[in-house]
Amino acid sequence: MRVYVPLTLSGLAAAHRAGEVGPGPLTAYAVTPALREWYVSDDIEELEYAALNRAASASLRMIAGDPDAVRRRVVVAVDVPDGEAVADPDHSLDPSSLGEVRIASAVALRKAAAVHVDADDAEKDVAAAAAVLGAADLGDDDAQFTVDGAEDHELLWFGVQEIPNLIN
């Protein structure tokens, strides 16, 4: 099963040093039954893209909670055995938890398929979104517009072997 683990650049650097994403339990995003129902598509690529975007939103939340974090969203795509990623059935209808899964333990970085990171030119919009995320959560339309502006940036794809260049 492909899961998308949200991180920050400093989290990616720590994972690179440790050789694993962790420690567990990890929150990740995947194509879950609830995500399929919400997205209303049978196209697996579209569903995986939706899960990736959910993880990117979670990365933005991590950035918002860490004033020292570089303002670029990071998502690591990792392949895990099907039984290792478990969706919480109590949260299946909660819109903020769509696609959310838990992985009990750390995941070896060698199992990563790719790393997705914002381009440098997204930093300004990601910083602005991180600054107003709380207001957007409370229903402020202007703040939500700012958050949407950051989410309009597509994450770039990088091979795992490119991680050293990303964290330097």
Side-chain angles (χ1 to χ4, degrees):
M1 168 181 249
R2 171 78 36 101
V3 299
Y4 299 90
V5 182
L7 293 174
T8 61
L9 276 175
S10 59
L12 181 62
H16 180 68
R17 283 190 303 276
E20 64 184 18
V21 180
L26 296 170
T27 298
Y29 295 82
V31 178
T32 62
L35 184 75
R36 283 181 188 275
E37 186 176 324
W38 171 75
Y39 199 76
V40 191
S41 176
D42 290 329
D43 185 330
I44 191 64
E45 287 183 15
E46 287 181 16
L47 291 165
E48 287 183 343
Y49 183 72
L52 170 66
N53 284 329
R54 302 292 297 167
S57 293
S59 176
L60 178 62
R61 290 194 176 284
M62 292 174 166
I63 291 167
D66 182 357
D68 296 327
V70 175
R71 289 351 209 185
R72 292 171 65 194
R73 298 168 297 160
V74 177
V75 176
V76 179
V78 181
D79 294 319
V80 299
D82 287 344
E84 284 188 22
V86 179
D88 184 340
D90 293 333
H91 291 146
S92 65
L93 299 178
D94 179 358
S96 67
S97 299
L98 284 171
E100 190 175 286
V101 295
R102 296 270 187 265
I103 302 168
S105 58
V107 177
L109 200 53
R110 71 182 186 293
K111 293 184 178 184
V115 179
H116 303 271
V117 181
D118 274 315
D120 291 340
D121 67 354
E123 281 189 43
K124 179 181 168 192
D125 290 336
V126 171
V132 299
L133 192 57
D137 288 345
L138 294 173
D140 183 314
D141 290 337
D142 291 334
Q144 186 60 53
F145 182 79
T146 301
V147 171
D148 292 345
E151 291 176 351
D152 285 343
H153 289 275
E154 295 288 330
L155 297 179
L156 302 177
W157 183 97
F158 295 93
V160 176
Q161 71 277 10
E162 296 177 272
I163 291 174
N165 297 328
L166 294 169
I167 59 177
N168 289 332

